[in-house]
Amino acid sequence: MRYALISDLHANLPALQAVHRDILRREVGGVYHLGDLVGYAPWADETVGMVAELGIAGVAGNYDSTVATDYQHCGCRYEDPRQEELSHLSYDWTRRHVSPGTKAFLGGLPFRIDLLPQGGHLAGPRVVLVHGSPTLNTLYWTEDRPDDFCLKMAAHAGAKPGDVIAFGHTHKPWQREVGGIHFVNTGSVGRPKDGDWRAGYVLLDLGGGATRVEFVRVEYDVEQAMRGIRESGLPGEFAEQLRTGGEA
Ligand SMILES: [Fe+2]
């Protein structure tokens, strides 16, 4: 069984369209999203509309659950006062522009989805899909987290050797195997922060007792996305961050 896992789309419709085209060229059994469909770019309704129309199931990112519940902020991390200001500008803009239908759709997303690629009549292997971590969708599971942290999360999720836990939220892709459990951060479709501007997603293969993770990068019309941000009234910094892959 082969899955395409897409995360952190962040209302970047041109990036999602390019990733979707790329997925169609491959043999994929299922496409799932790991949340954060909206925020930072202007195509919130269009992105949610495309995900809904294609029937791509997925989980609630922090952006999705905070917008849906009118929380006071998006649950995003910021490292300085300007970042904090930008974070609030994006959140306020998004809340003012999502349609009631989009908000309802975001509110209906589950916290976690479990896949059993060999069928539910067998115990495993299990693929657990969450946005940030099995405990909270706001928790940043970065590559420098120690093995102990990964095992603690696996225990919380009820994962066993051979299982996979897939998540996003940090916008930086990585993978690691600890105690026979595979941990996969899928990176971001619409707002990568690893210095590579191209849209990122993961192909996860579970077959013949082996687990294979392929990090795919797809070129898209980033100029169109940047223009869309600038014309929307969102801060211009968000356009620059797309061009540099988060290094701006
Ligand atoms: Fe995100």
Side-chain angles (χ1 to χ4, degrees):
M1 179 57 87
R2 179 183 239 197
Y3 301 109
L5 304 179
I6 61 177
S7 190
D8 295 272
L9 287 61
H10 283 299
N12 187 341
L13 189 68
L16 174 60
Q17 287 169 332
V19 162
H20 177 57
R21 276 193 297 272
D22 193 77
I23 291 170
L24 285 179
R25 292 193 297 109
R26 303 165 185 266
E27 277 175 45
V28 168
V31 186
Y32 293 89
H33 75 78
L34 305 188
D36 271 9
L37 301 177
V38 301
Y40 301 107
W43 296 282
D45 285 343
E46 293 84 351
T47 298
V48 167
M50 186 169 166
V51 164
E53 203 166 302
L54 292 170
I56 300 173
V59 298
N62 53 295
Y63 230 105
D64 312 315
S65 60
T66 53
V67 165
T69 59
D70 295 316
Y71 197 59
Q72 68 259 40
H73 58 75
C74 63
C76 315
R77 184 172 60 188
Y78 30 79
E79 272 140 23
D80 56 57
R82 179 60 184 154
Q83 268 188 27
E84 181 175 359
E85 192 185 348
L86 288 172
S87 160
H88 292 314
L89 287 170
S90 165
Y91 189 57
D92 292 343
W93 190 99
T94 301
R95 288 188 63 200
R96 275 186 281 114
H97 286 84
V98 290
S99 71
T102 291
K103 199 174 160 188
F105 182 91
L106 297 175
L109 293 170
F111 178 77
R112 157 181 173 167
I113 291 178
D114 282 20
L115 308 173
L116 276 80
Q118 288 182 19
H121 51 280
L122 298 172
R126 180 181 301 264
V127 180
V128 177
L129 309 178
V130 289
H131 176 67
S133 78
T135 54
L136 285 173
N137 64 16
T138 48
L139 197 150
Y140 287 85
W141 197 342
T142 48
E143 192 168 10
D144 58 3
R145 295 273 193 185
D147 287 358
D148 272 2
F149 178 88
C150 297
L151 292 174
K152 211 158 72 185
M153 288 296 143
H156 189 91
K160 298 182 175 61
D163 290 352
V164 179
I165 303 182
F167 45 95
H169 187 47
T170 70
H171 301 204
K172 292 184 179 182
W174 60 270
Q175 68 153 322
R176 182 147 107 230
E177 189 184 330
V178 184
I181 301 165
H182 300 269
F183 301 92
V184 183
N185 188 318
T186 62
S188 169
V189 169
R191 194 169 145 80
K193 289 184 184 168
D194 61 347
D196 184 342
W197 64 272
R198 296 172 301 169
Y201 75 97
V202 152
L203 287 170
L204 175 65
D205 247 294
L206 291 103
T211 299
R212 284 173 302 281
V213 178
E214 184 186 341
F215 293 101
V216 184
R217 299 307 281 253
V218 184
E219 294 193 0
Y220 73 99
D221 192 345
V222 71
E223 296 293 334
Q224 184 196 349
M226 291 173 69
R227 258 196 322 276
I229 289 171
R230 291 198 182 107
E231 287 166 6
S232 70
L234 279 161
E237 280 100 325
F238 298 153
E240 274 312 295
Q241 285 160 357
L242 289 191
R243 192 176 56 76
T244 60
E247 303 283 277

